[in-house]
Amino acid sequence: MNTGIYEEIKRLKKETSTVILAHTYQNPEIIDIADITGDSFALAKKALAAGAKRVIMCGVRFMAESVKILSPDTEVILPVPEATCPMAEMISPERVREYKKNNPDAIVVAYINTTAALKAECDVCVTSSSALKIVSQLDAPEILFIPDKNLGSFVQEKFPDKNIVVWDGYCPVHAQITEDDIIKAKKEHPDALLAVHPECNKDVVKHSHMAGSTAEIIDFALSSAKPVIIGTEKGVADYLIPNNPDKTFYYLCPEKLVCRDMKLTTPETVLKALKGESGEEIILDRALSEKAKHSIDEMLRLG
């Protein structure tokens, strides 16, 4: 990264009392300038704990919305307005309302990777790390899990006694990985363990030694005495490999596991956002934000 840009970002962060949040899928040069890094919801919680008055979210739109929901008085800026998550928008709030109208006794569970408008229509949110614990506590004739069919199926298989209906959404990045990709990687690295995200399809997950959130994959990799194949967005391996020279990590299909939306954020776009020259401030209707926060509060209570 250009040293001049880094120094100017560092100076402006201090002058404007801005906290830079970066999701782990960001490029290394963004991780280097961030004050806080981590999973999407962890970032929102850490921003709240820090009492940040101004935040730049280096991630995608639903993540910036989550920060705003938890910290409504914080100025939240998305440096690249078009950075979004296709899965988060694979279902409309209207369709959820229609489902609830036709199934009034059902509980609607929303993966945290959803828009604020969708969270406002749901009963409880889950993260990939808390989904099993939360769903285990739900008692309803029917549970609708939105929007990720792969994470939903992962949960569904763990609770065959529950009537879980899975929506047909998916992560376009993780869903690209095939069983053949896994077989090939295991042949190339026979001594390595495989860690994958449950957003991958079940034919992939069944071959893994662990399936979990980004943070759980990192913890598993760091605690393993064996080499680990990192089966999630390549930013995780980009982070792990240079920071742990005493350990061995392998990319799984780095040509496939790239979230293009995450990579839209650059040091230049962050600098412009700091200067107020570009980016978008996230503004949420207060009533919608409060409804969305209810599903997050339920997640925190149960999870």
Side-chain angles (χ1 to χ4, degrees):
M1 179 171 54
N2 182 295
T3 304
I5 290 179
Y6 179 85
E7 291 301 324
E8 191 167 6
I9 288 172
K10 187 177 177 181
R11 177 180 62 81
L12 285 171
K13 280 198 302 182
K14 186 175 181 180
E15 287 183 5
T16 60
S17 300
T18 300
V19 174
I20 296 181
L21 310 176
H23 191 273
T24 315
Y25 293 173
Q26 291 288 310
N27 280 317
E29 58 266 29
I30 297 298
I31 300 296
D32 287 345
I33 61 176
D35 300 294
I36 302 171
T37 61
D39 279 0
S40 61
F41 188 64
L43 291 173
K45 290 195 294 183
K46 289 176 181 178
L48 174 64
K53 299 301 180 185
R54 185 174 189 247
V55 161
I56 290 179
M57 167 55 82
C58 300
V60 295
R61 183 170 293 274
F62 84 81
M63 298 176 185
E65 290 182 343
S66 293
V67 175
K68 190 67 177 177
I69 290 168
L70 287 192
S71 304
D73 296 323
T74 296
E75 180 184 358
V76 181
I77 299 167
L78 185 64
V80 183
E82 59 268 32
T84 187
C85 170
M87 178 172 65
E89 300 175 4
M90 284 185 178
I91 173 176
S92 69
E94 291 75 20
R95 290 185 70 191
V96 176
R97 284 196 289 271
E98 181 67 19
Y99 177 89
K100 289 165 66 179
K101 180 181 176 181
N102 294 330
N103 303 273
D105 295 327
I107 290 178
V108 183
V109 177
Y111 188 21
I112 199 72
N113 295 32
T114 44
T115 63
L118 274 174
K119 290 180 177 71
E121 299 298 332
C122 298
D123 298 295
V124 60
C125 285
V126 297
T127 63
S128 49
S129 59
S130 69
L132 294 177
K133 181 178 181 181
I134 290 173
V135 171
S136 72
Q137 300 173 69
L138 301 181
D139 184 18
E142 188 165 298
I143 297 169
L144 174 66
F145 192 101
I146 66 167
D148 183 17
K149 65 181 180 182
N150 290 322
L151 179 58
S153 296
F154 178 75
V155 174
Q156 193 178 47
E157 289 181 355
K158 303 294 184 182
F159 302 108
D161 57 320
K162 294 181 182 289
N163 181 20
I164 300 175
V165 178
V166 177
W167 208 272
D168 197 30
Y170 59 94
C171 168
V173 176
H174 288 100
Q176 292 184 83
I177 302 303
T178 66
E179 186 174 18
D180 286 343
D181 291 327
I182 299 302
I183 293 170
K184 180 175 181 288
K186 285 194 162 190
K187 284 182 179 178
E188 291 175 350
H189 310 294
D191 296 331
L193 304 179
L194 173 65
V196 304
H197 200 287
E199 287 177 15
C200 295
N201 69 67
K202 60 185 178 182
D203 286 338
V204 168
V205 173
K206 74 181 183 182
H207 290 281
S208 68
H209 295 91
M210 73 81 63
S213 68
T214 303
E216 289 173 331
I217 288 173
I218 291 172
D219 288 345
F220 176 82
L222 291 177
S223 64
S224 174
K226 292 186 175 183
V228 179
I229 302 167
I230 307 299
T232 188
E233 211 277 347
K234 71 180 290 290
V236 176
D238 286 340
Y239 165 79
L240 284 169
I241 291 170
N243 290 301
N244 300 277
D246 58 327
K247 290 183 173 289
T248 302
F249 304 118
Y250 301 111
Y251 290 93
L252 174 67
C253 302
E255 72 286 353
K256 289 184 177 182
L257 285 171
V258 179
C259 178
R260 304 297 176 187
D261 284 277
M262 282 286 188
K263 307 309 186 192
L264 291 174
T265 306
T266 64
E268 290 77 12
T269 62
V270 172
L271 180 57
K272 287 183 178 180
L274 274 167
K275 291 179 174 179
E277 295 176 357
S278 66
E280 178 186 337
E281 181 179 359
I282 301 298
I283 306 293
L284 295 178
D285 175 80
R286 277 291 178 130
L288 181 144
S289 185
E290 288 173 4
K291 284 186 68 180
K293 187 174 184 298
H294 172 74
S295 63
I296 291 176
D297 288 342
E298 279 296 283
M299 175 177 71
L300 295 174
R301 182 180 72 85
L302 295 171

